[in-house]
Amino acid sequence: MARPLVYQITNGVSAQLQADCVALLGGTSIMSRQIAEAGEIAASCNALLINIGTPPNDALALYRAAASAAAKNNVPIVIDLVGYGFSKYRTDIADALLAEFRFSVIKGNEAEIGALGGSGAAPRGVSCDTAVNGAARLVEACAEKYGCTVYSTGETDNISDGRDSFVIDGGSPLLRGTSGIGCALGSATALYCAGEGPLEAARRALRLFRRASAEAAADAEGPYSFRIKFMDMLAEYGSILLDEVK
């Protein structure tokens, strides 16, 4: 598929970074929060990302319009549960979507997936390093419950589709101090879903980001030079096949 089109209804804080990520990895982006055109765009794209990081006042209606059109046209949908469990508003929105639609991939950090799985954990804000006991088990349980691929990010990444499960490690601690890269990971996952199955797409995105961050950290002079070098590494390694991304 030549330059897959990804519709990103996403976190305004990191929208530019996500558009850059998709472009560097060979795709193209369209972003809109207008309900009037959400269905039309979703029906015409190759993948849909719903990131709840900065939900607008009409968030649920907007997300439903896009997800409904995507589902009718067999367009893969990734939901990034940014801040799930932190506020009732965004948690209720996500729960309503998860009850109504079957997503290709559900993404979150350990605290967000922990909250989704009923561990009692809840993130503080939208960037959280809180570790959750039994994260791998929670990811597997959520995958079985929602019938899709689920992954959690943290010191290690856990991913499962309810049948096959993987743990992905490596990378760099500098990722934790670089805002927006987690959201870019969601966009990369959506892009890869346009061309391969959800489990393979998620694994590819996770392993790519770990590889790129490790390479970037080796030459970075600090957190912000790391950010720039990380994006360069995405471009360099983005075309490498999954089995070659170690």
Side-chain angles (χ1 to χ4, degrees):
M1 181 184 299
R3 295 189 65 79
L5 176 62
V6 183
Y7 180 17
Q8 294 147 287
I9 307 177
T10 193
N11 191 334
V13 175
S14 59
Q16 182 66 61
L17 184 68
Q18 294 181 67
D20 290 344
C21 172
V22 167
L24 289 172
L25 297 179
T28 186
S29 297
I30 184 166
M31 298 185 183
S32 174
R33 291 187 173 196
Q34 297 298 316
I35 295 176
E37 65 176 0
E40 179 183 1
I41 294 173
S44 302
C45 68
N46 300 114
L48 169 65
L49 170 74
I50 296 175
N51 175 313
I52 65 171
T54 52
N57 289 334
D58 54 2
L60 184 54
L62 170 63
Y63 300 153
R64 272 180 169 152
S68 179
K72 289 177 182 177
N73 288 275
N74 297 314
V75 172
I77 313 170
V78 174
I79 186 167
D80 193 343
L81 299 178
V82 180
Y84 181 93
F86 179 64
S87 76
K88 186 176 186 300
Y89 175 70
R90 74 178 63 215
T91 302
D92 286 349
I93 287 172
D95 285 342
L97 293 172
L98 291 167
E100 187 172 348
F101 300 101
R102 181 173 180 177
F103 290 87
S104 298
V105 179
I106 298 172
K107 170 194 177 294
N109 61 34
E110 282 192 17
E112 291 155 358
I113 298 301
L116 179 66
S119 72
R124 276 188 64 79
V126 298
S127 296
C128 181
D129 291 333
T130 302
V132 175
N133 291 330
R137 176 184 52 78
L138 284 167
V139 166
E140 291 173 2
C142 287
E144 291 174 0
K145 177 178 179 179
Y146 294 104
C148 68
T149 293
V150 177
Y151 70 80
S152 68
T153 57
E155 187 171 342
T156 59
D157 301 328
N158 291 282
I159 178 171
S160 178
D161 64 357
R163 297 176 299 277
D164 297 314
S165 300
F166 304 93
V167 177
I168 301 170
D169 55 18
S172 167
L174 287 172
L175 278 173
R176 300 191 190 106
T178 309
S179 64
I181 287 185
C183 292
L185 175 62
S187 285
T189 302
L191 172 65
Y192 289 144
C193 279
E196 52 196 319
L199 182 66
E200 293 77 16
R203 283 186 71 203
R204 181 175 180 180
L206 287 165
R207 295 172 70 181
L208 172 62
F209 273 53
R210 291 279 183 175
R211 169 79 174 269
S213 65
E215 296 286 345
D219 295 325
E221 297 175 2
Y224 214 83
S225 63
F226 167 79
R227 183 188 187 95
I228 295 170
K229 291 178 183 296
F230 174 82
M231 298 301 283
D232 287 340
M233 291 300 101
L234 282 190
E236 180 171 343
Y237 293 116
S239 61
I240 296 176
L241 295 176
L242 176 62
D243 289 342
E244 295 177 314
V245 181
K246 304 298 183 183

